[in-house]
Amino acid sequence: MASLPSADHPRLQTRAIHASVDRDAPFGSVTTPLIQSTTFRQSAIGDDAAHTYSRASNPTVAALEAALAAFEGLPYALAFSTGMSAITTLLLGTLRSGDHVVCGNVVYGGTYRLLDQILRQFGVATTFVDASDAEAVRAALRPNTRHVIVETPANPTLDVCDVAALADVTRDTDTLLVVDNTFLTAALQDVGALGADVVVYSTTKYIEGHNATVGGAVLCKDEVLHNRLDFIRKSLGTIQSPQNAWLTIRGLKTLPLRMERHSENALLVAQWLESRDEVASVSYPFLKSSAGYATAIRQQRAGGGMIAFELKSGFDGAVTFCRSLQCAILAENLGAVESIVTHPASMTHADVDPAERERTGITDGLIRVSIGLEDPADLIQDFDQAIQRAKRSSVSTKPATEVVS
Ligand SMILES: *Cc1c(COP(=O)(O)O)cnc(C)c1O
C-alpha cells in the first residue's frame, strides 16, 4: 500500500495527526477529502484506474487504511464496515471446512458467536482456551489449526495474555496469531512488534472514539494475505463507508492523546474502587493486584481505559448500580469520550452459555466500565452515589418485599 508522504514520522502522536495529511491533495486541503461517490469514471475500457466502485475501494477509505498502517507500523491495512465484518472477512477468507481455530475463552461476544454458532456450521471447529496461559494454547494446537485468536486485555474481564509468549507458540507452525487490539490500540500496545501476524480492530471503539460510527480494520504483514482479504472484502461487500472513514481519520488524530488520558482517569478510578469495602474485586491491568500486572507492564505503555469490577452485592447490586448512574451512561459500547457502563451477563455476553460465562469469570455481578474523558472527580462522585444506592437496595429491599408479599 502506498503510504502518504508525511506518514513516516517516528513519534506516535505526530504520525497520528500527519499520516492522513496528503501534501499533494487537490486545493491543498489539510483534512482528507470526503469522496462520497459510488463510482469512478474510467478514461477507456481496460483503464487501470485506482478506484472503480466503492464496494472495492474508495479514496477516503484508502486514506484511512494508509493512515492506520502508518500509525501501526505495519505494511497493510483494510477498513471494514464494522469490527465484526473485519473478523468475519478475515475468517471466511482464510478458513475452509475441516480447519481448526484456537480462541481465547474470554473474547468479544460477537467473535465467540461467529466461531461457535456460525463457522461451526461450515465445518470449522474452535477450541476455546485460557489464552493467558500460553502452554494451554500450545496444548490445544492441532496440525490443522489455522489461527490462534486472542484479545488482550480481554473483553470483559480484562485478563491479559502475553503476546510474545503466544508468538513463540505459533512460530514455525502454519498457525497465524491474530490479536484483537481494540482495547488498547497501537497507541498503547504494539502487538505486531510483539509477534502478532494479524491485528484486528473494532474502530467503533477508541480509534474513532466519539460514539459516532461503526467500523473495523485488519492489519497484516503479509502481502498475499492482504490481497486475499481485499478480494474477499470486495466479494462480501464488507468495506467501510467513506463517511465513516472520514470520521475515523479525524478520530485517529487524537487517539494517542485520548488513550493517555483514558488511562490516567481509569487508573484513578480503579484505585478508588479497590479502596472501597463494597467492592469485591477490581480488574485493571495496571493495578498491582491484577493477575496480568507483570505481563501488562511489559507489553503495554499504560493501562488503558477499561475496568471490570464486582460489587459484593452481586447481581442485584450490579443492576441497581447501573440504574443509579447520573454521569456515566448505561450502554453497550466502549472506547468513547463519554464514560459507559455495561453489565456483560445481561448485555454484551448474554449469548454466551451461562456455564461458560461463569467458568471464564463473566459472573452475574461483573460490571464493565469504559472510562471516558470526563473529569475523574465527577466519575468517582457518580460511582460513589451509585455504590451507596446498590448497598442500600441490597440491604433494605428484602424487608420491604416481605411486607408486600
Ligand atoms: C466491539 C468489539 C468488536 C466488534 O466490533 P463492532 O464494531 O461492534 O462490530 C470486536 N472486538 C472487540 C474487542 C470489541 O470490543
Side-chain angles (χ1 to χ4, degrees), residues 82-85 87 108 111 151 155 180 182-183 202-205 214-216 334:
T82 64
M84 281 322 302
S85 81
I87 296 169
Y108 183 70
T111 304
E151 291 174 15
N155 187 0
D180 184 333
T182 297
F183 271 28
S202 168
T203 61
T204 309
K205 314 294 167 55
V214 286
L334 61 97

Side-chain angles (χ1 to χ4, degrees), residues 3-7 17-33 59 63 66 249 253:
S3 53
L4 296 166
S6 54
I17 290 171
H18 285 279
S20 58
V21 177
D22 182 350
R23 308 266 159 182
D24 299 324
F27 311 113
S29 64
V30 171
T31 58
T32 306
I249 287 169
K253 288 175 189 274

